[in-house]
Amino acid sequence: MNQYRTLLPIGVAVLALLVYSCTFVVKQYEVAIKLRLGEIVSDQYGPGLHFKLPLINSIEIFDRRIQTLDSRPERFLTIEKKDVIVDSYAKWRISNAAQFFRSTGGSSARTSRLLSERINTSLRDEFGKRTIQEVVSDDRLELMQILTKEVNANTEDLGVEIVDVRVKKIDLPPEVSESVYQRMRAERERVARDLRAKGSEAAERIRADADRQRTVITADAYRQSEEIRGEGDARAAEVYASAYSQDPEFYAFYRSLGSYRQAFGNGGDVMVLEPDSEFFRFFRQQQAPVEAIGR
């Protein structure tokens, strides 16, 4: 009886060790492969409890969550043979666990080195197709999409998927920065001159149109005023003619009164005329009418 009590804990320990050596657990965010004497025999393991043969099978478990590869800044040449310093990073995850193990041996350091080399190759190719101005000014989203697509094509043999490639910062070496600055300044000055020239042209066009409209409006107003004045003169002549035709003698007398008022209005003028002049025609009338005129 005492012997059984001694062997029972040993048996439980052996059973527990056997169960532990024959099972493995894959978590929700992990992916696993089974090896038999170093050869991959299966990689179809979902989350949960799985079994293996101890001493014969070994298990490699990898994190299948998205990983970040933050590369150190690298120098690349543009199409103008100018250096730019690019600071980038990539997001990746394991897409094929078996291929990943074959290509990298499951080593994080080796995976980072291989991915960095291929990402830098793609960056070098893309920056080599562009000028500095295009690299600095153009839409980076398009460049990022092209890089992600190219790097994915270059890393299929590693069993990983490149989720995204991003350029954090693009710097210019000191010897390049000044030349780029001067070129951009010259370009901005050219654009400013072009805008000023277009503005001056538009201003001249507007002034010419305003002058033309002013001339047209003035001429039209003058024409209308002359027409109105002509109509007034015609109406006045018509009234005068109508009044003259009704009593020509009175009209002549009225005209003479106006002439007398204008001639003798100042009082200091001297006129030398013959007594029988037509100007004094109404003074030669009967005495009573002349006195009435004086009054």
Side-chain angles (χ1 to χ4, degrees):
M1 191 66 177
N2 291 332
Q3 185 178 4
Y4 288 139
R5 289 179 180 177
T6 303
L7 293 177
L8 182 60
I10 297 175
V12 171
V14 171
L15 180 62
L17 180 61
L18 181 63
V19 171
Y20 177 77
S21 63
C22 293
T23 60
F24 62 95
V25 176
V26 179
K27 298 178 181 178
Q28 186 71 31
Y29 55 86
E30 294 176 334
V31 61
I33 60 173
K34 181 191 288 187
L35 304 174
R36 183 175 57 202
L37 302 178
E39 180 183 358
I40 299 174
V41 293
S42 178
D43 59 354
Q44 304 299 320
Y45 293 103
L49 180 65
H50 304 278
F51 296 93
K52 64 177 181 177
L53 294 176
L55 302 179
I56 297 177
N57 296 135
S58 60
I59 304 299
E60 295 288 341
I61 298 178
F62 309 109
D63 192 337
R64 65 176 182 178
R65 291 176 294 186
I66 294 177
Q67 309 291 323
T68 300
L69 175 62
D70 197 355
S71 303
R72 61 185 180 85
E74 294 284 347
R75 283 199 177 205
F76 301 109
L77 284 175
T78 64
I79 195 172
E80 306 161 305
K81 304 303 179 184
K82 301 290 186 180
D83 283 335
V84 290
I85 302 174
V86 181
D87 189 3
S88 64
Y89 71 91
K91 295 287 187 178
W92 64 277
R93 62 187 172 195
I94 297 173
S95 59
N96 187 323
Q99 185 63 33
F100 175 74
F101 183 75
R102 294 191 190 97
S103 302
T104 66
S107 169
S108 298
R110 186 178 180 186
T111 303
S112 298
R113 179 175 56 80
L114 292 174
L115 286 177
S116 295
E117 291 175 355
R118 301 187 187 196
I119 291 172
N120 287 342
T121 298
S122 297
L123 284 170
R124 185 175 295 106
D125 292 342
E126 289 302 317
F127 277 82
K129 299 175 185 176
R130 292 168 170 79
T131 63
I132 292 181
Q133 185 174 357
E134 291 173 341
V135 167
V136 174
S137 304
D138 276 8
D139 186 5
R140 291 190 185 182
L141 180 60
E142 181 182 358
L143 177 61
M144 301 303 100
Q145 292 173 344
I146 293 173
L147 285 172
T148 302
K149 184 177 179 180
E150 288 187 357
V151 175
N152 254 323
N154 294 333
T155 56
E156 289 181 353
D157 60 319
L158 299 181
V160 300
E161 174 192 2
I162 303 299
V163 178
D164 196 10
V165 176
R166 291 285 169 177
V167 174
K168 294 190 292 185
K169 185 171 61 173
I170 299 176
D171 289 329
L172 299 173
E175 64 273 14
V176 179
S177 298
E178 183 62 26
S179 63
V180 172
Y181 170 74
Q182 294 297 337
R183 184 180 306 171
M184 294 178 68
R185 179 177 178 178
E187 176 65 17
R188 293 300 96 193
E189 290 177 349
R190 183 192 66 78
V191 172
R193 288 194 300 269
D194 185 54
L195 291 175
R196 280 195 293 267
K198 290 180 179 178
S200 299
E201 180 184 354
E204 290 296 329
R205 187 166 56 251
I206 292 171
R207 280 194 290 267
D209 185 64
D211 291 341
R212 180 188 63 79
Q213 292 184 25
R214 182 188 63 185
T215 303
V216 170
I217 292 172
T218 303
D220 187 60
Y222 180 76
R223 177 184 59 78
Q224 293 181 12
S225 67
E226 290 298 314
E227 289 178 355
I228 294 172
R229 185 179 293 110
E231 292 175 358
D233 292 343
R235 181 59 181 162
E238 182 182 351
V239 172
Y240 288 143
S242 177
Y244 181 77
S245 63
Q246 291 179 11
D247 193 344
E249 186 65 21
F250 176 79
Y251 184 71
F253 176 68
Y254 180 77
R255 295 281 303 272
S256 296
L257 285 178
S259 299
Y260 296 153
R261 188 180 297 109
Q262 185 175 2
F264 304 123
N266 295 331
D269 296 335
V270 178
M271 298 182 66
V272 180
L273 297 171
E274 295 181 358
D276 57 350
S277 172
E278 182 64 24
F279 187 73
F280 295 109
R281 180 167 63 89
F282 289 99
F283 283 94
R284 295 193 297 269
Q285 303 296 328
Q286 298 178 359
Q287 185 65 26
V290 173
E291 293 176 355
I293 292 174
R295 288 194 298 265

